[in-house]
Amino acid sequence: MKKTMALFSAAILVSALLAGCSSNTAPAPASTAAADSSGTETAAASGTSGSGIISLGTGSTGGTDNVVVEAISSVVNSNTDLRTSTVTTSGGAEIIYLIESGDIQGGYSGTVDLVNAVNGEAPFEKPVEKEYMLQAFGFVSWDLPVVVLDSSDIKTYEDLAGKHIGLPPAASSSTTVLNMVLEAYGLMDQVNIDYFTWSEGYTALKDGRIDAFVGSYANGSPISGIIEIEASKPIRALNMDQEIAEKVRSMNDGVGIGTLTHNEIATIPEGDEVYAAANSGVIVFSSEVPEDVVYTYTKSTIDRIEELKQISAYFDAFKEVASAVCVESVPFHPGAAKALKEAGLWEDRFTVYGE
């Protein structure tokens, strides 16, 4: 499997270079120094022995998961004896591979990735054992509409035919979801796609270098790139047909259907709703990470949620989504389950690894 992971990572790196992505989307090798959330250079440990550092994977800079994982690491490092470092990667699928290979011990993954990994569906070459992606807690549900400048003549998904679309890095969970949407509309062979980090993508849309990009609304709140572009140019979200939404959902039960209103996007008329595919973010750990370590990480997050809300609005709905957005087909890490049960956030529809 290490050989497969290496080939996978190499392919991602080549794709990123060809697409003009920022170099910070490539993961730092486990044997090199990685900066922890306080900026201190530390050696990335493969496990909890030695330096005692837990390496956690995040997606590209500017994305919700990157902000959330960095914020949690800061709080955990400041308030517990546990030490964590973060490694920026191209997304949830690569993070699962890196956990499987032992290069990192945990990180973010999308619910769509968890289901694809269990079933061995693209981008995974074969099924991944659940022990490498045990759930700790969910932290967000992303509504992912395709967005265009409000001045654009693109009104529907069908109008994207022949257009230039930007997507997040090729291995990101959001791109996996949008590929399903494009496939359901029969557009995969009719659009030109380039890959960007989130911040680069919104800049390209604003500058007119692409015709459309992916909107990301985390628990209803726009990510920073959307806020920045709307300061000068309003955007509009394309409405996904309900029939297409159900078709996408049938492809992967980790994909949800979100609704956006005027409260989220000003260009949506009052009283109207726009449907979008939705993916959820979950923190996962290898089964090799000790129960007490994952318990400390999860409990610290729960106990310090008010402090985390001060860092980012992405934590405002934490208690509502901590269990609700998780995947029933993947068990929870025992340490996380213990902390969730103590906090009254556990749902009995889930299972615990080893029980």
Side-chain angles (χ1 to χ4, degrees), residues 285-318:
F285 286 95
S286 167
S287 63
E288 295 184 1
V289 180
E291 179 177 335
D292 63 329
V293 169
V294 178
Y295 172 80
T296 297
Y297 184 90
T298 306
K299 179 174 172 55
S300 181
T301 302
I302 295 170
D303 290 349
R304 299 281 176 170
I305 196 63
E306 294 304 319
E307 182 178 340
L308 287 165
K309 288 179 181 179
Q310 297 302 312
I311 299 175
S312 173
Y314 296 145
F315 292 96
D316 287 352
F318 177 82

Side-chain angles (χ1 to χ4, degrees), residues 130-202:
K130 296 176 182 179
E131 66 189 82
Y132 298 112
M133 48 185 167
L134 301 181
Q135 297 179 106
F137 53 84
F139 57 87
V140 68
S141 182
W142 291 286
D143 294 331
L144 300 168
V146 168
V147 298
V148 297
L149 296 179
D150 193 37
S151 58
S152 172
D153 60 358
I154 299 173
K155 305 298 182 183
T156 68
Y157 277 86
E158 288 83 356
D159 292 340
L160 292 171
K163 302 298 184 180
H164 191 174
I165 300 177
L167 293 179
S172 76
S173 304
S174 297
T175 293
T176 297
V177 173
L178 264 296
N179 283 338
M180 292 180 188
V181 173
L182 294 174
E183 181 181 341
Y185 271 104
L187 290 169
M188 282 299 293
D189 297 328
Q190 300 184 47
V191 295
N192 300 307
I193 298 175
D194 275 335
Y195 300 97
F196 302 87
T197 66
W198 288 100
S199 57
E200 290 171 341
Y202 291 119

Side-chain angles (χ1 to χ4, degrees), residues 217-269:
Y217 294 81
N219 297 332
S221 298
I223 65 173
S224 59
I226 294 176
I227 296 172
E228 291 171 7
I229 190 175
E230 289 206 303
S232 58
K233 294 187 177 182
I235 61 172
R236 177 165 37 83
L238 304 184
N239 193 7
M240 183 170 61
D241 295 337
Q242 291 191 46
E243 181 180 341
I244 295 294
E246 292 297 339
K247 185 175 181 179
V248 172
R249 194 171 188 175
S250 70
M251 295 178 182
N252 184 303
D253 60 11
V255 179
I257 302 173
T259 56
L260 296 159
T261 67
H262 182 77
N263 291 331
E264 290 80 42
I265 304 178
T267 52
I268 298 176

Side-chain angles (χ1 to χ4, degrees), residues 8 90-97 108-124 128 133 142 170-177 180 252-255 279-282 284 327 330:
F8 177 88
S90 58
E94 186 182 8
I95 287 170
I96 291 174
Y97 271 118
Y108 137 80
S109 193
T111 48
V112 63
D113 293 319
L114 296 179
V115 173
N116 282 338
V118 169
N119 296 330
E121 297 177 354
F124 299 92
V128 178
M133 48 185 167
W142 291 286
S172 76
S173 304
S174 297
T175 293
T176 297
V177 173
M180 292 180 188
N252 184 303
D253 60 11
V255 179
N279 181 39
S280 296
V282 180
V284 297
V327 178
V330 178

Side-chain angles (χ1 to χ4, degrees), residues 79-95:
N79 296 283
T80 74
D81 292 333
L82 182 62
R83 291 294 171 264
T84 66
S85 67
T86 58
V87 177
T88 304
T89 77
S90 58
E94 186 182 8
I95 287 170

